[in-house]
Amino acid sequence: MFKKSFIYLITLLMSGIISLNTGCESKDGYNSDLIISNALIVTMDADFRVIENGAIVIAGDSIVAIGNSDELLGMFKAPKIIDGKGRLVMPGLINTHTHSPMTIFRGFADDLPLHEWLYDHIFPVEAEFITKENVSLGAKLAIVEMLQSGTTTFNDMYYFGDEIAHVVEKAGIRAVITEGLIDFAVPNSESPEHGINYTERMIKKWAGHSLVTIGVAAHAPYSSSGELIVASKALADRYNVPFNIHVAETKKEFDQIMSKHGLTPVQYLNKLGVLSSNMIMAHGIHLTEEDIKIVAEKGVGIAHNPECNMKLASGVAPVPDILAAGGKVGLGTDGVASNNNLDMFDEMNTAALLHKLHKNDPTVLDARTVVEMATIGGARVLGMDDKIGSIEKGKKADIIIIDLGKPHLHPLFNVYSLVVYSMKSSDVESVIVNGQIVMQNRNVLNIDEKALYSQVDSLVAEILKYVENR
Ligand SMILES: [Zn+2]
């Protein structure tokens, strides 16, 4: 009996199903910290393995084993075991483009074209209300919303990034944080140079942090000069961090860059020499065939934000063509002021439906491809696919647990169809980031929700007073 178990253990070790590099057994007999057992696991690994009656073993911040639940429970002991019976477990969702503090402007100015919305409404109210305190408040509200809808990593572009980083650290979510560099004075910077210096200080301050990655951002080719884009991209390259920029979001931008530089926005950026694999291009809607080829060849990641693009009538990004060309595409929500939520389940559903209608072809962007964009695809866009985006041994434990005990989640024929076409963000029951439980039974553990809502209500009263008197 012993010999048989021993041979079986050796076989599992060799096959990579389990790993014993979990540190020493503690005096309580534990050799891991947390086990999720008896679950239906959608791994999103290279083979798209789906494991029934599966278990995930977590030690510290990482996944150390994944496989059959009964087998792993026989080998690992943890002080906490989550029974995943009747639960679907999948990688945490990755929001590749947002402006988290803009939650405080949810519903502030709707049903307007992008340039009017941005220049006549958003920029003026930001100039009045974007302070360190309000940025923290907006980021907190965003993070509660994101955790409750299954997002474990977000890629942010805003102002006062250091305040956002502190909220991220406290909440226990993972984020790429970038300071939007733009040609004019903004709430946190009197000049673009000030913004660049601030960004560099943040990069140094947060280097090596387990949850926070500081990147660099230029706002867009129409609002950031060529010199600013080149200088900010050089900073990102110097520290090997992600670089965010909005590109080809509207036809107006396309025409403006075309008439000024005689090139498409993508070809203009290519001429500036800034296209490379650490660039995350938000939107990428108005792309020519040549642009798509360039983006794919340069390894530029596209953050696709279908709901925002529909709401502002910006257009439909050629996502199926970018994927066919070998490009990297992730999903994002963009800021709440143009969406008006941070719900990645909504975004998956919209992406799948929008492209089918747009191409007049129901086979376009099948459900599995869409789940891939929201998980491992998003991780590739952020350059973090060695760490997150799938449930695999050695990766960080960023995991969401979904309660399948709902009418709209029965019956289950295809897990990817279930996730994209039927699941709602409110089905997410618990969330683990970096090995820590940060939401349990829908309670966000590190942020006081009630106090948060009353603070937000007070701020909204101030914003309304400002609107009345303007
Ligand atoms: Zn944006």
Side-chain angles (χ1 to χ4, degrees):
M1 184 63 194
F2 170 77
K3 196 175 164 197
K4 202 174 155 195
S5 309
F6 181 74
I7 291 169
Y8 182 62
L9 179 63
I10 295 296
T11 311
L12 287 179
L13 280 168
M14 288 175 68
S15 63
I17 292 172
I18 67 163
S19 154
L20 290 186
N21 58 350
T22 59
C24 299
E25 208 172 88
S26 76
K27 64 178 188 317
D28 306 315
Y30 299 131
N31 53 1
S32 60
D33 296 310
L34 173 64
I35 298 174
I36 305 165
S37 63
N38 304 314
L40 172 65
I41 304 172
V42 179
T43 65
M44 299 313 291
D45 68 7
D47 300 322
F48 295 100
R49 278 195 308 158
V50 174
I51 305 171
E52 286 181 43
N53 190 33
I56 301 165
V57 183
I58 297 163
D61 59 7
S62 301
I63 297 163
V64 292
I66 171 169
N68 178 274
S69 191
D70 300 332
E71 288 162 8
L72 293 187
L73 285 174
M75 290 165 194
F76 290 92
K77 296 275 172 286
K80 185 165 178 63
I81 295 181
I82 297 174
D83 184 3
K85 194 167 168 40
R87 307 290 188 274
L88 183 148
V89 177
M90 64 182 286
L93 305 177
I94 298 174
N95 185 342
T96 58
H97 181 69
T98 190
H99 312 276
S100 63
M102 292 185 87
T103 46
I104 58 175
F105 303 127
R106 192 192 314 266
F108 174 71
D110 288 327
D111 309 325
L112 295 165
L114 184 135
H115 283 257
E116 190 182 334
W117 168 80
L118 188 62
Y119 282 89
D120 298 348
H121 298 269
I122 295 299
F123 283 156
V125 76
E126 282 183 336
E128 197 69 25
F129 286 98
I130 289 307
T131 60
K132 279 184 183 182
E133 294 72 26
N134 291 344
V135 161
S136 283
L137 185 63
K140 257 187 225 169
L141 182 60
I143 289 169
V144 170
E145 185 182 353
M146 284 192 271
L147 289 175
Q148 288 194 342
S149 52
T151 292
T152 53
T153 297
F154 67 101
N155 176 27
D156 213 44
M157 182 204 287
Y158 209 59
Y159 312 116
F160 295 107
D162 196 49
E163 311 304 315
I164 301 169
H166 282 291
V167 178
V168 163
E169 183 179 46
K170 185 175 181 293
I173 197 168
R174 195 183 297 283
V176 175
I177 296 166
T178 63
E179 191 81 3
L181 302 170
I182 201 161
D183 284 340
F184 47 85
V186 291
N188 189 27
S189 293
E190 68 236 12
S191 67
E193 293 73 34
H194 179 278
I196 285 191
N197 292 336
Y198 175 85
T199 300
E200 186 163 12
R201 283 201 303 278
M202 276 205 300
I203 293 173
K204 288 178 180 164
K205 177 177 170 182
W206 293 91
H209 194 275
S210 55
L211 296 171
V212 174
T213 301
I214 303 293
V216 187
H219 182 259
Y222 63 87
S223 53
S224 311
S225 68
E227 296 77 46
L228 179 57
I229 292 171
V230 169
S232 50
K233 180 61 167 49
L235 178 64
D237 292 348
R238 195 152 68 243
Y239 288 94
N240 194 24
V241 294
F243 178 81
N244 280 318
I245 184 165
H246 297 98
V247 180
E249 183 174 2
T250 60
K251 182 70 169 52
K252 184 171 173 160
E253 172 194 339
F254 184 93
D255 293 343
Q256 200 178 317
I257 301 294
M258 202 66 175
S259 72
K260 200 167 166 193
H261 302 283
L263 294 165
T264 68
V266 165
Q267 289 165 36
Y268 163 64
L269 293 173
N270 197 24
K271 195 179 167 203
L272 291 178
V274 295
L275 299 185
S276 67
S277 62
N278 65 341
M279 175 181 275
I280 302 144
M281 211 178 250
H283 306 300
I285 293 169
H286 299 276
L287 303 183
T288 63
E289 272 180 37
E290 180 64 17
D291 292 343
I292 292 171
K293 239 169 87 184
I294 294 170
V295 162
E297 270 171 19
K298 297 281 184 183
V300 169
I302 300 285
H304 176 45
N305 309 279
E307 292 200 345
C308 166
N309 299 159
M310 289 167 74
K311 184 160 179 275
L312 293 167
S314 302
V316 181
V319 170
D321 303 332
I322 300 167
L323 289 172
K328 302 183 290 191
V329 185
L331 276 184
T333 57
D334 212 333
V336 156
S338 61
N339 184 300
N340 292 359
N341 60 56
L342 297 166
D343 187 331
M344 287 287 288
F345 281 91
D346 261 10
E347 218 65 43
M348 282 194 276
N349 185 267
T350 302
L353 301 183
L354 170 65
H355 292 280
K356 289 169 190 1
L357 181 68
H358 183 62
K359 288 269 190 187
N360 193 26
D361 178 358
T363 67
V364 164
L365 283 197
D366 62 85
R368 195 179 82 178
T369 302
V370 173
V371 177
E372 190 178 0
M373 291 198 302
T375 56
I376 188 68
R380 284 186 205 114
V381 166
L382 302 186
M384 297 169 86
D385 48 314
D386 57 334
K387 279 208 309 201
I388 57 170
S390 58
I391 300 180
E392 291 181 75
K393 192 180 85 176
K395 283 207 171 178
K396 301 296 178 198
D398 288 10
I399 292 165
I400 59 176
I401 301 173
I402 294 145
D403 180 6
L404 294 177
K406 311 277 174 73
H408 59 281
L409 301 179
H410 280 79
L412 201 175
F413 290 112
N414 177 307
V415 286
Y416 305 108
S417 292
L418 194 77
V419 169
V420 172
Y421 299 119
S422 309
M423 205 167 269
K424 299 175 195 305
S425 58
S426 53
D427 300 327
V428 179
E429 185 177 63
S430 297
V431 176
I432 296 163
V433 181
N434 213 40
Q436 301 296 314
I437 300 170
V438 290
M439 184 179 91
Q440 193 163 25
N441 299 322
R442 297 205 56 74
N443 292 313
V444 173
L445 301 183
N446 302 326
I447 294 177
D448 179 346
E449 265 188 75
K450 269 196 187 146
L452 171 65
Y453 301 145
S454 99
Q455 285 174 296
V456 170
D457 291 345
S458 307
L459 175 61
V460 168
E462 278 180 54
I463 296 175
L464 285 172
K465 210 184 279 171
Y466 153 81
V467 172
E468 272 169 31
N469 297 327
R470 118 178 120 158

